[in-house]
Amino acid sequence: MNHPVQVHPEAMQALLALGKAAHAGTLPTVTHQLVHLRVSQINGCSVCVDMHARELKEAGEKDERIWAVGAWRESPYFTDAERAALALAECVTRIADRPDPVPDQVWDEAADHYDEQELSSLLLTIAGINVWNRLNGAIRQPVGSW
């Protein structure tokens, strides 16, 4: 089938507006991109994994950082702030996997690194990429089809 945002162009406008709003604050662009990649890996969205890995590369990120996103806990390539963002992204993406969707420890660590505006941007970017992943996964959107 056609992608739902092609069938409903107003949905494309809304999702683009959500992305723009998420990026409007002071949260570093690379943090958004790392979160997009990690969430897409979790959700198995090949289109988004491909796209966001390429965006990170185009932004000048080293291959080692891009390759290590899936194993960020064991990797030396990420800052404490990026680790906090990735932990929050995993919890919010896997919201049904535990009785407490976002444990206080994860939230507190993120709040230690990001102010309220940045946390809001982070949550919006996590929510937005999850929407894209779910739409792409539902219709089995192949890499290179956009």
Side-chain angles (χ1 to χ4, degrees):
M1 81 173 266
N2 289 320
H3 199 287
V5 299
Q6 293 171 321
V7 176
H8 295 282
E10 63 280 3
M12 172 69 97
Q13 293 171 351
L15 289 173
L16 292 175
L18 176 62
K20 185 176 179 182
H23 283 80
T26 58
L27 188 71
T29 299
V30 72
T31 303
H32 286 282
Q33 293 171 330
L34 291 169
V35 164
H36 287 163
L37 179 54
R38 182 63 189 127
V39 170
S40 299
Q41 290 172 335
I42 292 166
N43 289 328
C45 182
S46 65
V47 170
C48 291
V49 167
D50 181 76
M51 177 190 330
H52 299 299
R54 289 176 190 276
E55 287 175 349
L56 283 160
K57 182 73 171 172
E58 290 168 8
E61 290 298 318
K62 293 183 178 184
D63 290 338
E64 292 82 5
R65 273 177 49 95
I66 298 168
W67 298 333
V69 168
W72 61 268
R73 284 179 181 84
E74 295 81 23
S75 171
Y77 303 120
F78 303 98
T79 67
D80 289 343
E82 290 168 339
R83 291 173 189 286
L86 291 166
L88 183 62
E90 288 185 359
C91 286
V92 173
T93 298
R94 295 177 166 150
I95 205 159
D97 287 355
R98 61 184 61 82
D100 183 3
V102 180
D104 289 344
Q105 178 182 356
V106 171
W107 183 261
D108 292 344
E109 184 68 23
D112 285 346
H113 294 282
Y114 302 106
D115 63 24
E116 184 177 36
Q117 183 190 40
E118 292 165 331
L119 283 170
S120 296
S121 292
L122 190 52
L123 290 172
L124 290 171
T125 211
I126 295 165
I129 193 61
N130 270 288
V131 170
W132 282 110
N133 290 168
R134 280 151 177 74
L135 292 173
N136 292 340
I139 63 165
R140 297 182 182 170
Q141 185 76 24
V143 172
S145 60
W146 276 92

